[in-house]
Amino acid sequence: MSLLGGPLVDWLAGLLLHAVWIATVAAALGWLVLRRTRDPKIAHGAAVGSLLLVAAGMLAMGIATWPELGSAPAVVGTEAAGIARQAPPPASEPALQTASVATGAAGTDWQTWLVLAWGCGVLALSLRHGCGWWQALRLRRTAVAVSGELADRLAGLCRHAGVTVPLLLASARIAVPAAIGWWRPAILLPAGLLTGLPPAQVDALLLHELAHLRRHDWLVEIAASLLESLLFFHPAVWWLGRRLRQARELCCDGQAVRDGAEPDGL
């Protein structure tokens, strides 16, 4: 384990321990706001603000505790001569030094194992999120473009809402509508939705997904997922992520209603 030790491992292990209280304090502040409001916009802002506070706190703590990795300066001049003239240590001192080194190595083992366990967790969660994003992008590439009346209806809704018309795609591999992308946003609809719902309900669903695109929820979701992957061990981070997603859906419902959707269609 000595190959994995060193100042960086010690710094990272300490930073992970600091993450426990940083995320706890941020979640507590978010909870104080969330328990006093039923406004989804305020709730969403509180969840986002708490997650940003976690990220900012970790960044500040990481900078403040960053180790000095440079080698120790060489000893020259009279100091070197003085060291050379020192008497050899007594016979018992090597044993004490050996015991001290062994104790120090044992004391850093937990830090090494902590960083290794954290790294495995981050890798697993990153693969999970990465596969989800890859599948979403693959769905977009394999989906079929929708034209005709439904595309015209989407264009009219976008003109009314004052937003750019996104791509409208249909796929038989999804069960619920989804808004994907930021640079070239697209709305994915289940193939059966095109014929199985009344027009008013389809309009409500389209307005809901348009609200996701207008709010750039795709980027917020990526940032929240990255933070959840890095601090997967802290339940407060997962709780904030759940509250963020719940408030986000309510915000989009409210925006869709303001844009003319019928509440019963959401």
Side-chain angles (χ1 to χ4, degrees):
M1 304 302 294
S2 60
L3 294 177
L4 299 177
L8 278 178
V9 171
D10 296 343
W11 168 77
L12 188 53
L15 190 59
L16 293 175
L17 295 180
H18 283 300
V20 175
W21 70 263
I22 291 174
T24 301
V25 170
L29 294 175
W31 175 79
L32 290 175
V33 178
L34 290 169
R35 70 187 294 266
R36 294 178 178 272
T37 182
R38 294 187 178 181
D39 188 334
K41 288 186 177 181
I42 298 178
H44 185 269
V48 171
S50 296
L51 290 174
L52 287 175
L53 185 59
V54 174
M58 293 296 297
L59 179 61
M61 185 60 67
I63 294 174
T65 59
W66 181 255
E68 293 294 338
L69 300 179
S71 58
V75 180
V76 294
T78 57
E79 293 183 3
I83 293 175
R85 291 194 300 269
Q86 286 181 357
S92 60
E93 189 168 330
L96 293 176
Q97 292 177 347
T98 303
S100 176
V101 171
T103 303
T108 58
D109 274 349
W110 69 270
Q111 295 170 311
T112 302
W113 285 112
L114 177 63
V115 172
L116 284 175
W118 172 78
C120 291
V122 171
L123 178 61
L125 268 295
S126 299
L127 289 175
R128 175 187 171 188
H129 290 306
C131 288
W133 297 334
W134 179 81
Q135 289 176 357
L137 295 176
R138 186 169 179 268
L139 278 174
R140 172 175 173 159
R141 290 194 300 267
T142 58
V144 179
V146 177
S147 58
E149 180 183 355
L150 191 57
D152 294 339
R153 185 181 298 123
L154 175 63
L157 294 173
C158 291
R159 284 194 299 270
H160 181 267
V163 297
T164 304
V165 181
L167 297 175
L168 185 60
L169 307 173
S171 174
R173 300 176 60 186
I174 60 174
V176 295
I180 296 178
W182 171 67
W183 182 252
R184 295 184 59 195
I187 294 178
L188 268 67
L189 298 177
L193 187 68
L194 304 179
T195 57
L197 291 177
Q201 191 169 357
V202 174
D203 286 351
L205 294 176
L206 290 175
L207 287 171
H208 178 94
E209 299 306 322
L210 280 175
H212 280 300
L213 296 178
R214 293 168 65 181
R215 292 162 41 86
H216 304 295
D217 285 334
W218 177 257
L219 294 178
V220 176
E221 177 62 25
I222 291 177
S225 298
L226 288 175
L227 192 58
E228 288 173 342
S229 297
L230 292 174
L231 300 180
F232 66 91
F233 55 88
H234 204 307
V237 175
W238 291 99
W239 176 76
L240 287 171
R242 287 195 302 271
R243 296 304 301 265
L244 168 69
R245 295 175 180 98
Q246 292 169 1
R248 180 175 65 201
E249 295 303 319
L250 293 176
C251 286
C252 291
D253 285 345
Q255 183 62 52
V257 171
R258 288 190 294 273
D259 288 338
E262 297 181 3
D264 295 338
L266 296 169

